[in-house]
Amino acid sequence: MTQIAKNEYALQSPREERVRRVLVVGGGSSGWMAAAVLATALARDVEVQLVESEAIGIVGVGEATIPPMQKFNRFLQLDEAQFVAATNGTFKLGIEFHNWGRVGDSYLHQFGAVGREIDALVKLHHWWLLGRQADDGADYPEWQECHVAYHAAVQNRFAPSGPRKGDLHNRYTHAYHFDAHLYAAHLRQVAESRGVKRIEGMITGAERDGESGFVTGVKLEDGRVLEADLFIDCSGFRSLLLGSALEEPWTDWSKWIPSDRALAVPSVRAEGALTPYTKGIAHPVGWQWRIPLQHRTGNGHVFASAFSSESEAEERLLATLDTKALGDPRLVKFSTGRRERSWVGNVVAVGLSSGFLEPLESTSIHFVQSSLERLVELFPTRAMDPELRDQFNARTRLEWEQVRDFIIAHYKLTEREDSEFWRYTRNMDVPDTLAQTLDVWRARGHLAVDGGHLFQIGSWASMLIGQRFLPRGVHALANRADPAEIARMVRRIAADCAAAASRLPLHEEFIARNCAAKAAA
């Protein structure tokens, strides 16, 4: 056996190479998420600072999340009831889509698993499709009715599911709606309590090392220069470091997702029950979100300027509000796509400074979360280890492209012909990766994604079936069953899901009982 030199495997990261100071550039949700995570994850000998200017507002339209947010809150050791109270938040069981497949259609992209599987090898949606052949009458359940989350949403009921996922009443999960400004303020309190130092200042530029190209400091309007070993660019669409200083190229996805404008406006909270889900309502051009909060309703309209003027979009939005607007709609311009790399040199871009995908599936906050989790896992030395950087960029790119495909599919899989916008999306070419996914599903209802995808079979099946993109056949192993018997079993599953949901408390009552005391404190 070859003799190994004594020091061949000696550690190559002496203490003097450690990152000593991290500067978060920009505040808002992404900035304070970054500051809170780094202050929690890093040793006390790493100084975390955040620079932001009160003169610059935050975009603040990301008021809806997806279930991985629970993991983020647990990492920060946030009390859920206190978090919901502090942000005027509500709970979210899914997203209800209207008018996407056809005008008048609706379906819920629910969070969680089906109520019960019939077979260990063949997923329930195959059996549902088989049973539908034998019983396509009015009493045959819709696919979404095989989920407890759907029935809870319809009944405006909510309680967190328990850990025993084999039990019917635990086979769903949840996310949150919250006020983005209050969320940033809440995380600021958390971050500062863990040692983060906030610096007020307007950034005017960056200084770079002539040899390595690394950023050495950011320049402020008053002449100060803030130095650090690692910079987290949370400067939003301006992308002050990754885009402006480092000139990282932009990859444009607008040919697949043509929307490039959003109008946002809050309105008076709707009377009646507090709904535990987001709404995504398709219009002749683009779509509208509706997000229920404790104190108001969040509304917005995403549209494409190539197919609609801003005045027409504002008229559509205001005409379709459920309640009175609390101000004038605020316009946000954006480009759909991303920087080719999110980590360049000693700069890691997080959130909008890295790229943008419209909020159709509430993924904006998640992209911040996953980037920070990845950064903590691959945290570098002052040398900015290229192997870690390349791994970060490869995984980030893959995640963005997978979510991109899921969003594009909503637009592609429409039968609408009522406007130029929908005719364009229906007939457009799609990325090869999405085309393959759709082809595999269309054949026999299989899903060509692996376990690393953010959106798994439950999400894809809800969207594909909800938008009438049904497979031509079912799993070959399902053909051994009697369709009539399967139809009876599917009806039983749907009825059991409805019964389980009916035993949950009303959403508003749950919030009042569990979060009111936290708000008062």
Side-chain angles (χ1 to χ4, degrees):
M1 185 173 181
T2 304
Q3 183 68 32
I4 299 176
K6 181 178 181 180
N7 294 323
E8 186 171 340
Y9 292 111
L11 292 178
Q12 299 177 18
S13 301
R15 292 184 61 85
E16 58 268 21
E17 289 189 5
R18 292 184 181 179
V19 168
R20 296 295 187 183
R21 179 179 295 171
V22 179
L23 180 65
V24 179
V25 178
S29 297
S30 61
W32 286 110
M33 286 175 72
V37 164
L38 294 174
T40 303
L42 302 181
R44 282 290 182 176
D45 60 350
V46 178
E47 181 181 9
V48 180
Q49 298 180 331
L50 181 146
V51 57
E52 65 176 345
S53 172
E54 292 181 353
I56 299 176
I58 65 174
V59 173
V61 298
E63 297 172 325
T65 63
I66 54 178
M69 185 84 183
Q70 291 185 59
K71 177 184 176 184
F72 182 81
N73 286 355
R74 286 194 299 269
F75 178 80
L76 293 182
Q77 301 174 3
L78 301 183
D79 178 90
E80 183 173 75
Q82 186 178 38
F83 158 72
V84 171
T87 61
N88 272 329
T90 59
F91 294 91
K92 175 180 175 181
L93 292 170
I95 307 170
E96 187 178 68
F97 289 92
H98 293 262
N99 303 327
W100 284 83
R102 296 176 184 172
V103 174
D105 282 356
S106 68
Y107 68 92
L108 185 77
H109 169 196
Q110 73 290 313
F111 300 148
V114 295
R116 184 170 58 251
E117 294 285 0
I118 291 176
D119 183 275
L121 296 176
V122 179
K123 294 296 183 182
L124 183 63
H125 69 271
H126 291 283
W127 299 116
W128 176 84
L129 289 164
L130 183 65
R132 188 170 177 267
Q133 297 176 10
D135 189 352
D136 197 14
D139 66 335
Y140 191 69
E142 296 289 342
W143 168 242
Q144 57 195 355
E145 295 179 63
C146 296
H147 300 76
V148 175
Y150 166 76
H151 294 281
V154 168
Q155 300 174 38
N156 295 315
R157 296 182 179 276
F158 175 80
S161 61
R164 295 181 55 176
K165 298 306 178 184
D167 296 340
L168 186 66
H169 59 277
N170 292 329
R171 292 181 64 79
Y172 63 90
T173 186
H174 69 271
Y176 312 95
H177 307 115
F178 52 71
D179 183 306
H181 295 272
L182 295 178
Y183 179 59
H186 184 60
L187 288 186
R188 176 179 173 179
Q189 291 181 340
V190 172
E192 290 183 327
S193 72
R194 298 175 188 179
V196 174
K197 178 183 177 182
R198 178 190 179 276
I199 301 170
E200 170 66 28
M202 179 75 74
I203 298 172
T204 59
E207 295 183 346
R208 299 175 63 185
D209 179 78
E211 183 175 346
S212 67
F214 283 12
V215 172
T216 58
V218 295
K219 297 180 288 186
L220 304 186
E221 192 174 43
D222 60 8
R224 287 177 293 168
V225 176
L226 304 179
E227 298 180 342
D229 301 317
L230 175 64
F231 295 84
I232 311 300
D233 188 350
C234 297
S235 60
F237 289 129
R238 295 172 296 157
S239 193
L240 293 175
L241 298 185
L242 187 69
S244 296
L246 299 178
E247 298 181 327
E248 181 63 14
W250 177 264
T251 299
D252 190 348
W253 291 339
S254 60
K255 65 181 179 180
W256 297 311
I257 307 176
S259 296
D260 59 356
R261 300 284 191 275
L263 286 162
V265 63
S267 67
V268 174
R269 178 184 158 176
E271 295 182 2
L274 192 62
T275 55
Y277 54 89
T278 306
K279 284 189 177 182
I281 307 162
H283 287 311
V285 179
W287 62 280
Q288 175 180 342
W289 73 76
R290 191 169 295 156
I291 299 173
L293 302 177
Q294 293 183 45
H295 61 311
R296 61 174 172 81
T297 300
N299 307 276
H301 177 21
V302 175
F303 64 100
S305 61
F307 297 92
S308 172
S309 68
E310 293 169 6
S311 60
E312 290 170 336
E314 182 171 326
E315 183 178 347
R316 276 194 302 272
L317 174 60
L318 294 177
T320 52
L321 294 181
D322 285 346
T323 57
K324 182 181 178 180
L326 295 172
D328 296 325
R330 182 165 55 93
L331 180 68
V332 178
K333 298 180 180 181
F334 58 84
S335 298
T336 297
R338 62 179 300 270
R339 303 285 171 183
E340 290 185 7
R341 296 172 297 174
S342 296
W343 180 349
V344 178
N346 62 338
V347 172
V348 177
V350 172
L352 300 179
S353 59
S354 175
F356 183 77
L357 278 175
E358 62 160 83
L360 182 61
E361 284 286 351
S362 307
T363 51
S364 295
I365 293 290
H366 176 76
F367 279 133
V368 177
Q369 173 186 342
S370 62
S371 292
L372 294 172
E373 291 175 351
R374 204 170 290 125
L375 176 60
V376 170
E377 177 189 349
L378 301 171
F379 199 77
T381 65
R382 290 174 62 189
M384 298 297 132
D385 314 83
E387 299 83 2
L388 302 183
R389 177 200 63 211
D390 292 347
Q391 179 67 200
F392 180 98
N393 285 328
R395 287 163 57 181
T396 300
R397 181 180 64 255
L398 181 61
E399 180 183 48
W400 275 76
E401 291 176 351
Q402 290 170 344
V403 175
R404 174 204 67 189
D405 285 359
F406 189 59
I407 291 176
I408 293 171
H410 292 69
Y411 288 100
K412 176 65 176 178
L413 301 179
T414 183
E415 297 180 8
R416 292 185 60 161
E417 292 277 0
D418 56 298
S419 71
E420 184 182 357
F421 175 82
W422 290 109
R423 287 192 292 271
Y424 171 83
T425 65
R426 180 177 180 175
N427 295 310
M428 67 182 175
D429 292 331
V430 298
D432 292 343
T433 46
L434 174 57
Q436 180 187 25
T437 299
L438 298 181
D439 287 345
V440 171
W441 169 268
R442 190 61 159 167
R444 286 196 175 272
H446 295 279
L447 191 63
V449 301
D450 59 31
H453 282 243
L454 174 62
F455 294 109
Q456 291 289 304
I457 183 65
S459 297
W460 277 93
S462 293
M463 184 268 293
L464 294 169
I465 294 173
Q467 294 194 205
R468 301 174 179 266
F469 191 70
L470 300 181
R472 296 189 182 95
V474 297
H475 197 299
L477 295 181
N479 288 329
R480 66 185 187 275
D482 175 17
E485 176 61 25
I486 294 300
R488 287 191 288 271
M489 297 174 73
V490 169
R491 285 197 299 272
R492 180 73 264 168
I493 292 172
D496 290 345
C497 287
S502 69
R503 292 189 287 270
L504 298 174
L506 291 173
H507 181 214
E508 191 163 3
E509 291 177 358
F510 179 86
I511 291 175
R513 185 167 63 244
N514 293 277
C515 304
K518 298 290 184 178

